[in-house]
């Protein structure tokens, strides 16, 4: 298994878009997620999408975003859109994807990362610390976590 930037394997962009839309797109169009994924192909600092591959088969994805929570635009950068294909779950891939973004952020001089989740008890296992509750647009209560790098 290897983790690479989606820009290295752009032929997987449609699969990544489908995953994100199905996992996180309640009430949001597929085109919205396609826009995020496609914008990660332009070589800018943000967003960057990573893909975990077994050979050329995608197993999961994670993003490195400037902001992932409209109500907390004061916090940056973010681990975002973490998704692992169901058949690949329970094998440490989520942790590997998180660590990949942590390493990537450190290499770019960041000293802290943020993420949010609708549930608690998961990210704490990987060293994330709960900071506060916040609102995801328009009115979903979420938990905000940070991690010192």
């Amino acid at each position: 298994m290897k983790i690479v930037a989606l820009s290295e394997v752009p032929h997987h962009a449609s699969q990544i878009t489908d995953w994100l839309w199905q996992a996180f797109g309640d009430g949001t169009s597929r085109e919205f997620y396609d826009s995020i994924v496609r914008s990660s192909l332009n070589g800018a600092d943000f967003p960057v999408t990573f893909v975990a591959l077994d050979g050329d088969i995608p197993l999961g994805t994670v993003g490195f975003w400037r902001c992932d929570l409209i109500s907390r635009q004061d916090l940056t950068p973010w681990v975002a859109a973490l998704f692992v294909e169901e058949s690949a779950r329970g094998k440490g891939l989520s942790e590997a994807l998180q660590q990949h973004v942590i390493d990537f952020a450190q290499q770019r001089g960041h000293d802290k990362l943020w993420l949010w989740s609708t549930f608690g008890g998961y990210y704490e296992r990987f060293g994330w610390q709960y900071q506060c509750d916040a609102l995801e647009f328009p009115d979903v209560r979420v938990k905000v976590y940070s991690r010192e790098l």
Side-chain angles (χ1 to χ4, degrees):
M1 194 269 312
K2 64 181 178 176
I3 299 172
V4 300
L6 180 61
S7 59
E8 295 179 36
V9 288
H11 58 282
H12 290 304
S14 182
Q15 176 66 67
I16 302 307
T17 296
D18 287 342
W19 280 346
L20 298 183
W21 182 49
Q22 292 164 7
F24 308 114
D26 187 30
T28 310
S29 70
R30 184 186 185 282
E31 289 76 17
F32 173 77
Y33 288 93
D34 184 59
S35 174
I36 293 169
V37 170
R38 296 276 171 206
S39 69
S40 73
L41 298 175
N42 68 14
D45 290 340
F46 296 101
V48 179
T49 299
F50 296 102
V51 184
L53 299 168
D54 181 5
D56 193 42
I57 299 169
L59 302 175
T61 186
V62 68
F64 176 68
W65 294 4
R66 180 184 325 274
C67 185
D68 188 30
L69 193 59
I70 293 171
S71 66
R72 293 304 310 264
Q73 293 188 41
D74 57 317
L75 308 176
T76 192
W78 293 75
V79 171
L82 175 63
F83 177 85
V84 175
E85 177 69 38
E86 192 168 335
S87 64
R89 293 178 186 167
K91 301 174 184 172
L93 188 52
S94 171
E95 183 174 17
L97 286 163
Q98 291 173 60
Q99 189 60 53
H100 192 82
V101 175
I102 289 166
D103 295 343
F104 184 82
Q106 281 179 315
Q107 291 168 5
R108 276 141 192 83
H110 297 282
D111 58 4
K112 185 182 261 189
L113 275 171
W114 299 89
L115 67 75
W116 66 263
S117 178
T118 56
F119 54 87
Y122 180 73
Y123 289 103
E124 293 89 340
R125 298 184 315 184
F126 304 106
W128 295 90
Q129 301 207 345
Y130 169 80
Q131 297 300 318
C132 63
D133 285 346
L135 287 176
E136 166 63 347
F137 183 82
D139 61 0
V140 176
R141 193 155 296 284
V142 299
K143 296 182 178 310
V144 176
Y145 294 89
S146 69
R147 179 154 174 184
E148 301 290 330
L149 306 183

